[in-house]
Amino acid sequence: MALRELPSKARSSIWRDVRPCLFSAKPCFNRKVSTSANHLEDLESSSSFSVPPPSEDIVKSYDPVAQSKIRENQLPPSRYQFRPPKYYRGPLHPHQPPPPSDPSSRLFQPGPFTLPRLQQTYESTIAPDLLTLSYAHFPPGYKAPPKQQRLRSWEGESPYFKNRPLRGPRGGDTLRLLTAPKTFRNIPKITGVTVHSMVPEAAHDSANLHVAGMIIQAITNVRVQTHKARSNVTQWSLRENTFVSVTAKVEREDAFHFLAKLIDIVLPRIKEWKGVKGSTGDSSGNLTFGLPPDAVALFPEIEVNYDMYPPRMIPGCHITVHSSATNDKDARLLLQSIGIPFYGKFVN
Amino acid sequence: MNAGHRSARHLASRNGASICRSCREKTLSRKPYSTAAAATAADNTAGPASSSHIPPVTATAAQQAYQVRAGVVLSRPPLITRDLHPFEKAFFLYQRRLNERLALPFTRYFYVKKDTPADAEWKRKMKKRLTPARDIGTYNAYGNEGWNDEVLMGAQESEPEWQVERLLEDAEAAVSGGGIGGESGGAKGLQEGGQPAVPEVAAKAVVAEPVERPMPRVTEADKKGDLRSLDRLLQRTLYLLVKNKDGRWMFPDDQIVGKENLHQAAERVLIQAAGINMNTWVVGNAPIGHFSFNFPKPRPGLRQNVEELGGKTFFMKARIMAGQANLAENKLGFTDYKWLAKDEVEKAVTLRYWSNIKNMLAER
């Protein structure tokens, strides 16, 4: 038995002898991007920014409008006035719509138009700090203990339990999101904002809903969606199938601009505002808070032409901040770091 | 002890110098304690002659160890947005003009009522720039020449400074429009309709109520080259570097004393090195990097019977919110300080130090 181990031991000891000289020779052939001197330079040495510009007279004589007017035979409109098909008729149809990234597509959305300040702050300051704060050290060779089965099996004598799908967890039939160990790849970030405004008075006078839509549109820079009441609730004077609310789903650049306006301009000016309640959240990283009508009127877009809106029709709204965090604790830390205060008992 | 073990021990002890310490100890101490005890018992029964193999239980020689030090990477985060790359500038302007072509027309009568001074102002501006957007230059998105949306060479439309100027111009004109509305200034400007009316109104506005300009992005500290100022390089992260007794630039650090942890040690180092006139926040309890060095000769340590081979510095991350460093009363023997960005840190510190700290510093 022991003799059988000998060849492997000898092999490893020989390898141990040889290894140092191999590693001393390493830099010669084991080249890495980070160790090479010019890893920061572009792959292509010449860029269009380094090429000298065209001469002065070429620049001065270039006039695209004049050139197009000189042209004798105009281009046929079918060449440049392309209209994509209104309906998708399947992959075999000869007339296919262009991809959504094509400006001629019906789904194309232009943008981005700016690089928001909040986004730059997140990338340069907030994200590294969040990673440092939530770092958990595991020694090398650590293996996470295997996860238990989260769904329960059916225990009992009943013959109907055989091959039955597993039972949901105790206290509810949905599984909560799992939180993965923090790495630089899964730092929580803001994925979007939903602004929602419910106007029950719209059942009597639809002007309320129109004003609410204009206001939410103005403060979010996004087209709003209207929603009908799903059921009759007499206490709230809701009637089924009447339009009662508007929402705007704000993403990317618009979300950063909206949050920056909210945090830097609106929230500091609300009188006697305690902050966002600590118990908010849907336990999967989306936090909601509300603004009263006089706080909505503080948005700069509303303030500049406040007189244009009919009196007493400015609505309040609910703001849901969606984050990629998988629990409320991480999401709260993210919102605190971008400047939203919380008060009261924290519920995770 | 079997043949395999014996040969491995033999080989390992033969070339013990070329393998690392932890591997060597692992190989040599593979014998579990139970077998050691058994061997001792066996030896005791056999006789005292063979007991010389068993190492003594208490070591009389000085224990060798490394100093544990806490360093602080105190940084000031960027205060303003970064300068955009020329490609980004051109891309953003292109997308804005594209948006102007694709968007629904501006709902003018919601925001501007007919036959008001604001309406006259609106018409005057639209005549000048042909589009509701204030920062994309003269461009008619809905006209026959809407395709001509590219910026010609040497044009300033994509520069943020130019766009800021246009926005300010617009704000100034708005002030003047409100002011002159009563005395039919807007209507006069419309009747003349020519270019001369516009600068006249704008100039009047500047005199009447100047719009506040944004602060310059380059500060006086940048122009003077004042490396001790916190107002320099507003777009970059600045790090506090101090000069130690040997004249080397480094992050402030000190040996950990007693039972304090890294976080407490970092706070103490900041106060002892740079004074109490700083509002700082030590981020988290875990270090973000480390640096180890050896002394030329082992030296006696703080604890008795311990010989120190060198030091291991663990760097804690900290942010400065307000205040400034002051080395006048520092207890750690630092003589000078600087606030440097990452690429300047590289020039200030030694190559070995740099290779250990470079990955914990932010690029921007």
Side-chain angles (χ1 to χ4, degrees):
Chain A
M1 181 89 177
L3 282 171
R4 219 179 293 150
E5 281 177 17
L6 185 59
S8 69
K9 298 272 180 192
R11 194 164 61 227
S12 68
S13 74
I14 289 164
W15 172 237
R16 218 177 290 143
D17 278 350
V18 173
R19 205 163 45 173
C21 44
L22 274 182
F23 281 146
S24 66
K26 196 168 98 178
C28 308
F29 55 85
N30 191 358
R31 199 168 64 92
K32 288 178 183 162
V33 174
S34 58
T35 52
S36 69
N38 54 356
H39 67 279
L40 290 177
E41 288 172 14
D42 292 337
L43 291 179
E44 274 188 43
S45 56
S46 67
S47 106
S48 62
F49 290 104
S50 61
V51 172
S55 64
E56 196 74 15
D57 47 331
I58 296 178
V59 169
K60 275 190 180 163
S61 65
Y62 183 70
D63 186 359
V65 176
Q67 275 182 15
S68 75
K69 280 178 180 163
I70 295 167
R71 198 186 294 134
E72 287 182 359
N73 303 335
Q74 294 298 322
L75 292 172
S78 62
R79 293 286 175 83
Y80 57 92
Q81 292 183 348
F82 172 71
R83 240 167 124 63
K86 195 162 187 183
Y87 304 108
Y88 180 59
R89 294 183 170 86
L92 299 179
H93 195 270
H95 195 186
Q96 289 288 323
S101 56
D102 189 334
S104 67
S105 164
R106 287 171 189 272
L107 304 174
F108 176 75
Q109 285 184 342
F113 309 113
T114 51
L115 190 57
R117 191 168 66 97
L118 183 58
Q119 186 186 349
Q120 292 190 30
T121 309
Y122 174 81
E123 284 162 5
S124 70
T125 311
I126 294 172
D129 282 0
L130 285 182
L131 185 60
T132 309
L133 275 176
S134 58
Y135 176 80
H137 180 71
F138 298 112
Y142 167 82
K143 274 183 189 167
K147 283 263 165 9
Q148 297 292 321
Q149 169 63 263
R150 296 170 75 207
L151 295 170
R152 294 175 293 159
S153 57
W154 294 89
E155 307 279 347
E157 295 296 313
S158 169
Y160 293 105
F161 287 170
K162 215 166 230 177
N163 293 333
R164 192 168 173 179
L166 293 174
R167 273 176 106 179
R170 271 177 220 285
D173 55 352
T174 48
L175 288 175
R176 299 262 184 93
L177 293 178
L178 290 172
T179 302
K182 281 280 169 304
T183 66
F184 68 99
R185 290 176 193 281
N186 59 8
I187 304 173
K189 64 180 179 209
I190 288 161
T191 52
V193 176
T194 303
V195 185
H196 164 248
S197 174
M198 180 171 167
V199 196
E201 300 88 52
H204 315 296
D205 183 6
S206 73
N208 287 289
L209 198 69
H210 292 292
V211 172
M214 284 303 272
I215 283 181
I216 300 298
Q217 215 163 278
I219 64 178
T220 58
N221 190 26
V222 170
R223 197 88 174 142
V224 293
Q225 182 111 30
T226 48
H227 301 282
K228 288 176 183 172
R230 274 187 284 191
S231 56
N232 279 314
V233 182
T234 40
Q235 293 92 331
W236 300 346
S237 63
L238 277 186
R239 269 182 294 127
E240 203 178 332
N241 274 340
T242 51
F243 284 101
V244 285
S245 75
V246 290
T247 57
K249 200 177 168 193
V250 196
E251 282 174 328
R252 294 182 288 271
E253 189 196 1
D254 288 331
F256 281 113
H257 282 310
F258 176 76
L259 283 178
K261 267 185 303 196
L262 185 72
I263 291 162
D264 296 337
I265 301 170
V266 177
L267 297 186
R269 290 169 63 197
I270 302 178
K271 281 176 189 160
E272 294 180 7
W273 187 63
K274 285 195 281 183
V276 178
K277 210 170 172 188
S279 60
T280 182
D282 63 351
S283 72
S284 46
N286 307 316
L287 308 185
T288 306
F289 53 95
L291 291 184
D294 45 344
V296 173
L298 294 175
F299 273 95
E301 290 87 351
I302 310 297
E303 217 171 28
V304 286
N305 50 4
Y306 182 77
D307 300 337
M308 287 297 112
Y309 298 96
R312 287 185 295 282
M313 276 201 192
I314 294 181
C317 67
H318 281 120
I319 296 166
T320 306
V321 183
H322 305 278
S323 70
S324 69
T326 47
N327 55 39
D328 285 346
K329 197 181 169 194
D330 290 352
R332 210 181 302 120
L333 189 62
L334 173 64
L335 288 205
Q336 278 175 332
S337 67
I338 67 171
I340 295 181
F342 286 83
Y343 77 94
K345 195 185 165 199
F346 291 167
V347 178
N348 293 317
Chain B
M1 194 174 287
N2 55 36
H5 266 145
R6 202 178 301 143
S7 64
R9 277 171 64 95
H10 174 69
L11 285 167
S13 58
R14 198 194 67 200
N15 47 35
S18 68
I19 61 173
C20 80
R21 208 177 122 192
S22 60
C23 297
R24 190 170 65 214
E25 282 172 355
K26 211 169 157 188
T27 319
L28 291 178
S29 64
R30 191 172 286 161
K31 190 171 63 171
Y33 288 117
S34 56
T35 57
T40 318
D43 286 341
N44 284 344
T45 50
S50 59
S51 63
S52 61
H53 292 293
I54 297 152
V57 179
T58 52
T60 49
Q63 198 187 343
Q64 291 190 324
Y66 278 83
Q67 278 182 5
V68 181
R69 304 175 71 87
V72 190
V73 183
L74 183 64
S75 58
R76 189 224 59 189
L79 298 181
I80 59 173
T81 53
R82 67 176 166 85
D83 282 335
L84 295 178
H85 191 266
F87 179 79
E88 286 174 312
K89 292 178 197 167
F91 177 75
F92 288 149
L93 180 66
Y94 169 69
Q95 291 290 336
R96 278 183 208 172
R97 289 192 166 181
L98 198 53
N99 185 47
E100 217 49 36
R101 294 177 77 177
L102 296 172
L104 286 172
F106 180 65
T107 46
R108 172 182 159 195
Y109 292 116
F110 179 78
Y111 293 100
V112 183
K113 292 277 180 276
K114 261 187 183 175
D115 299 330
T116 55
D119 190 36
E121 181 76 13
W122 167 262
K123 284 179 182 165
R124 185 180 66 73
K125 284 177 186 164
M126 282 299 285
K127 200 165 190 178
K128 192 181 167 197
R129 63 179 186 228
L130 306 175
T131 174
R134 291 164 294 183
D135 51 356
I136 60 170
T138 309
Y139 171 67
N140 186 4
Y142 291 137
N144 273 338
E145 281 146 20
W147 53 267
N148 183 26
D149 58 356
E150 284 184 30
V151 184
L152 296 184
M153 261 206 67
Q156 293 294 306
E157 274 90 339
S158 64
E159 296 297 324
E161 294 81 28
W162 185 90
Q163 292 166 358
V164 167
E165 278 306 312
R166 296 290 82 71
L167 291 177
L168 291 174
E169 209 173 68
D170 191 79
E172 282 167 355
V175 169
S176 82
I180 313 170
E183 50 199 68
S184 76
K188 201 179 78 184
L190 254 186
Q191 281 158 14
E192 288 172 6
Q195 293 297 327
V198 178
E200 191 186 81
V201 171
K204 220 172 185 179
V206 170
V207 176
E209 194 173 336
V211 177
E212 200 182 351
R213 306 262 144 188
M215 301 282 282
R217 293 168 68 83
V218 178
T219 60
E220 289 204 359
D222 283 325
K223 289 174 194 160
K224 282 186 204 158
D226 181 7
L227 295 180
R228 290 190 186 183
S229 170
L230 269 169
D231 291 336
R232 62 189 298 268
L233 293 184
L234 298 183
Q235 306 178 23
R236 304 286 306 273
T237 308
L238 294 184
Y239 296 96
L240 175 70
L241 255 75
V242 293
K243 197 179 191 179
N244 68 359
K245 280 171 274 184
D246 311 334
R248 280 204 193 124
W249 288 98
M250 57 191 294
F251 293 121
D253 66 355
D254 189 30
Q255 199 169 349
I256 285 183
V257 180
K259 285 186 175 180
E260 68 181 355
N261 60 26
L262 274 176
H263 188 99
Q264 293 162 342
E267 284 175 345
R268 176 180 61 80
V269 168
L270 268 184
I271 289 173
Q272 289 188 348
I276 53 168
N277 187 22
M278 286 197 300
N279 182 3
T280 55
W281 172 50
V282 178
V283 186
N285 296 321
I288 55 169
H290 89 287
F291 170 68
S292 65
F293 58 93
N294 288 324
F295 297 134
K297 242 185 255 175
R299 59 171 75 159
L302 287 183
R303 282 184 294 150
Q304 262 196 347
N305 206 20
V306 172
E307 210 177 34
E308 283 172 350
L309 298 170
K312 297 197 175 187
T313 311
F314 293 87
F315 293 108
M316 299 296 289
K317 184 178 194 172
R319 298 280 191 195
I320 180 166
M321 310 294 176
Q324 174 62 289
N326 180 14
L327 298 193
E329 292 173 4
N330 87 85
K331 295 170 184 167
L332 306 178
F334 300 132
T335 54
D336 197 2
Y337 72 93
K338 280 185 201 170
W339 288 98
L340 299 180
K342 183 174 182 177
D343 43 357
E344 297 165 335
V345 172
E346 181 177 7
K347 287 166 201 153
V349 300
T350 59
L351 196 63
R352 190 159 169 274
Y353 198 70
W354 172 247
S355 68
N356 281 279
I357 63 168
K358 66 180 176 187
N359 286 340
M360 63 185 188
L361 307 184
E363 217 43 76
R364 208 193 123 206

